[in-house]
Amino acid sequence: LRCNDAFLRLVGLPPEALKTARDWWDRIHPEDRPHYRTALIAHFKGDTPRFECDYRYRALDDSWRWARQNGLAMRDERGIAVRMMGATGEITELKERECLLAEKSAILETTLENMVQGISFIDGDLRTIAHNRRLREILEFPERFADGFALEEAFRLNAERGEYGPGDVEELVRARVELAR
C-alpha cells in the first residue's frame, strides 16, 4: 500500500499507520467491510468499470469518519487485475449533511401525511414537488397522481369532470395555467 502525503493529511494518519492494505482494512468500520469487499471484488473480476465505495473508517482520535474511495484496476494481457490506483476523499461533512437532510425530509413527510387538510407545494414549472395523500382524497385524484403531477394535468382532469363549468376543456385548462403562473 502506497499512500501519498495528501491522503495521509486528509485522513489524519501518520505514514507508519498505513504500511499495508491490511492496516487500512483494519480501520474500516466492521459493518462496512462486507460492502467494501463486495465492491472491490466486483471491480477486480471486471463486473464494474470502476471501484467506488463510501464507508466509515477509524481516525487517529478513534472517531468514525467517512471516506469515498474510487479506483481503477490495471489489468494484464489476460484481463486479470494486477494493480489498482485510486483516490480517497474524506466525506464526513457530506454524510452528516445527508443524514440531517434525510431526517428533515422524514419530518416533513410525516407532517404532510398526518394533516387533515390537503396540501401541495408547486415549483416554478407548475409541477408538484410535494403533496399529501389527503389532497388526492379530497380532490378525488386517481392513483396516477400519487407520485406528483403537473398542475396542468390536475386542471385538465377537473375540466373534463366539468368542475369549471361548460366550455372547451383546453381553453379552461389554459386559463387556469395562466392564472397559476
Side-chain angles (χ1 to χ4, degrees):
L1 179 66
R2 294 189 193 148
C3 301
N4 65 24
D5 291 340
F7 169 77
L8 293 169
R9 278 192 307 276
L10 181 72
V11 297
L13 296 170
E16 60 272 9
L18 296 176
K19 292 185 184 224
T20 68
R22 180 68 189 204
D23 292 336
W24 185 247
W25 174 260
D26 289 343
R27 290 193 167 276
I28 296 175
H29 194 287
E31 292 174 8
D32 296 340
R33 288 178 187 163
H35 171 67
Y36 182 91
R37 187 175 189 280
T38 298
L40 194 60
I41 289 171
H43 179 60
F44 285 163
K45 285 183 172 181
D47 295 340
T48 59
R50 301 172 48 92
F51 169 70
E52 297 176 344
C53 190
D54 290 358
Y55 58 92
R56 293 164 289 177
Y57 70 93
R58 186 173 299 283
L60 195 58
D61 66 0
D62 281 338
S63 66
W64 290 108
R65 310 286 296 166
W66 279 92
R68 174 167 290 156
Q69 194 168 17
N70 295 285
L72 188 60
M74 281 148 264
R75 301 178 184 283
D76 65 14
E77 61 281 347
R78 296 171 295 157
I80 295 173
V82 294
R83 185 175 178 192
M84 187 164 100
M85 291 186 66
T88 303
E90 211 285 340
I91 60 165
T92 302
E93 186 178 318
L94 173 66
K95 287 293 190 175
E96 288 169 351
R97 281 186 274 145
E98 285 177 354
C99 184
L100 185 60
L101 181 60
E103 288 171 5
K104 288 181 178 185
S105 292
I107 290 168
L108 176 61
E109 186 174 327
T110 300
T111 302
L112 284 174
E113 286 307 316
N114 287 289
M115 293 177 77
V116 294
Q117 302 87 358
I119 188 167
S120 64
F121 297 91
I122 310 295
D123 68 15
D125 293 326
L126 301 182
R127 291 202 58 81
T128 55
I129 53 175
H131 68 283
N132 65 358
R133 172 188 41 78
R134 188 70 181 125
L135 175 83
R136 294 188 313 274
E137 290 171 357
I138 291 169
L139 298 177
E140 298 178 354
F141 282 172
E143 189 61 31
R144 75 175 190 264
F145 285 78
D147 292 329
F149 52 90
L151 206 49
E152 184 176 342
E153 292 176 69
F155 292 153
R156 184 165 289 105
L157 175 67
N158 288 341
E160 290 169 349
R161 295 193 292 200
E163 293 184 19
Y164 305 138
D168 178 66
V169 168
E170 291 308 312
E171 180 54 33
L172 293 168
V173 170
R174 187 200 59 72
R176 275 153 185 84
V177 167
E178 188 176 307
L179 182 63
R181 285 195 197 288

